[in-house]
Amino acid sequence: MNDNNHFDVIIIGGSYAGLSAAMALGRSLRKVLIIDGGRPCNRQTPHSHNFITQDGEKPAVIAEKARTQVLQYRTVSFLNDFAISGNATDEGFAITTRTSQTYSAKKLVFATGIKDLLPDNEGFADCWGISVIHCPYCHGYEVKGEITGILDHGDTAMHLASLVNNLTDDLTIFTNGQSDFTAEQTAQLTANQIKVENRLIERLEHQNGQLERIHFTDGPPVAIKALYARVPFVQHSDIPESLGCQLTEQGFIEVNAMQQTSVPGVFACGDNTTPMRSVASAVAGGNFAGAVVNKELCSEQF
Ligand SMILES: Cc1cc2nc3c(=O)[nH]c(=O)nc-3n(C[C@H](O)[C@H](O)[C@H](O)COP(=O)(O)OP(=O)(O)OC[C@H]3O[C@@H](n4cnc5c(N)ncnc54)[C@H](O)[C@@H]3O)c2cc1C
């Protein structure tokens, strides 16, 4: 492998977490390669909220600003490609991409995010990030006071209901066929005037992603403006697992307080490590991971 393909650090994933790690490393004179597949999870959202200085900005604009700033550091390179495999070597790690290039580095940072597994009900994917929303802090203010739903059931629906109840007086939990609230939970929902609809959802009617009605497999549809939904996910990249990184029970990459995974020399940050899903958290995790990686490299050289 020629020297051009060898780096101090390879960062896989060049969105908010990865770019943030790269900034700390670039400012520490580290030779860094960012490999990015260009599929951030919020790409369909028109406006990103709750990240100070960028509130209401388009997600791609925030990423572009970050990329421009990070690439001012001459030791940082950005590659549009997808990492498909990785292995440990005597000097660190080697990563191979979809275009059959192999790069090596002393340390790896996975900032690969997660892949949301959207239900295949007609209209769901079209509304995702527009009027079907994952988080009240990111998009709740914009739909305050509207006819709102939560697509969930059980304890997690209760948790979300307690938050969303603060934002609207017209709230319904759509359990999509599940019926697992305890008597105590049902009483709590009733006391807060929160309705429960157990019918099976067939499709979401919308105009350009703006929800209008939920249709069920039987009975009349229900008018709706916003729907909070918790969807299952998988890791966007399976390389951390293939290298031996432990995952948590929930499916996140296990990291300690220093963003270190269970494999020495391999770090992770952003959505792939935490359910606290926001641009601000991803930037914070990446920033810290970058600093810890640099500290480790400094200690090894000192
Ligand atoms: C619909 C939606 C709306 C949201 N709205 C907001 C909001 O308004 N405000 C807010 O603060 N947060 C919002 N979030 C959360 C926020 O988008 C995430 O927390 C944030 O994007 C996480 O950043 P990340 O860098 O960890 O991952 P991502 O932004 O998802 O980026 C991961 C990157 O890694 C790349 N990648 C993955 N695997 C590989 C590989 N093997 N090789 C190369 N590249 C790879 C991907 O292509 C992608 O570019 C939203 C999330 C969703 C799903």
Side-chain angles (χ1 to χ4, degrees), residues 107-221:
K107 310 283 176 193
L108 294 181
V109 176
F110 286 94
T112 37
I114 55 174
K115 201 186 284 181
D116 295 301
L117 304 176
L118 304 184
D120 56 12
N121 303 81
E122 186 188 322
F124 193 101
D126 298 322
C127 296
W128 180 241
I130 300 170
S131 56
V132 174
I133 54 193
H134 81 294
C135 157
Y137 298 103
C138 297
H139 303 289
Y141 185 87
E142 283 61 45
V143 291
K144 62 185 181 311
E146 297 285 7
I147 307 172
T148 302
I150 291 174
L151 174 58
D152 205 343
H153 58 92
D155 294 344
T156 49
M158 291 300 292
H159 167 72
L160 202 44
S162 71
L163 297 176
V164 179
N165 193 41
N166 182 46
L167 295 168
T168 181
D169 292 332
D170 192 337
L171 182 57
T172 304
I173 299 178
F174 296 90
T175 67
N176 198 21
Q178 306 276 345
S179 177
D180 54 3
F181 290 119
T182 63
E184 196 186 330
Q185 288 172 332
T186 302
Q188 207 174 355
L189 294 172
T190 307
N192 284 285
Q193 286 96 47
I194 297 170
K195 293 154 272 185
V196 177
E197 171 61 79
N198 288 330
R199 281 183 292 164
L200 274 176
I201 294 175
E202 185 187 58
R203 67 184 176 93
L204 305 184
E205 183 186 337
H206 66 97
Q207 286 291 332
N208 301 318
Q210 299 294 347
L211 265 174
E212 293 188 339
R213 268 171 283 279
I214 299 182
H215 292 260
F216 303 91
T217 51
D218 66 286

Side-chain angles (χ1 to χ4, degrees), residues 12-18 35-42 45 47-51 81-84 111-114 116 128-129 134 138-139 236-237 239 269-272 277-280 282:
I12 303 169
S15 180
Y16 314 104
I35 305 174
D36 184 51
R39 304 280 292 168
C41 63
N42 60 352
T45 297
H47 302 282
S48 177
H49 292 280
N50 204 31
F51 180 35
D81 204 344
F82 195 81
I84 52 167
T112 37
I114 55 174
D116 295 301
W128 180 241
H134 81 294
C138 297
H139 303 289
H236 208 143
S237 168
I239 304 174
C269 51
D271 273 13
N272 59 10
R277 199 175 189 193
S278 72
V279 174

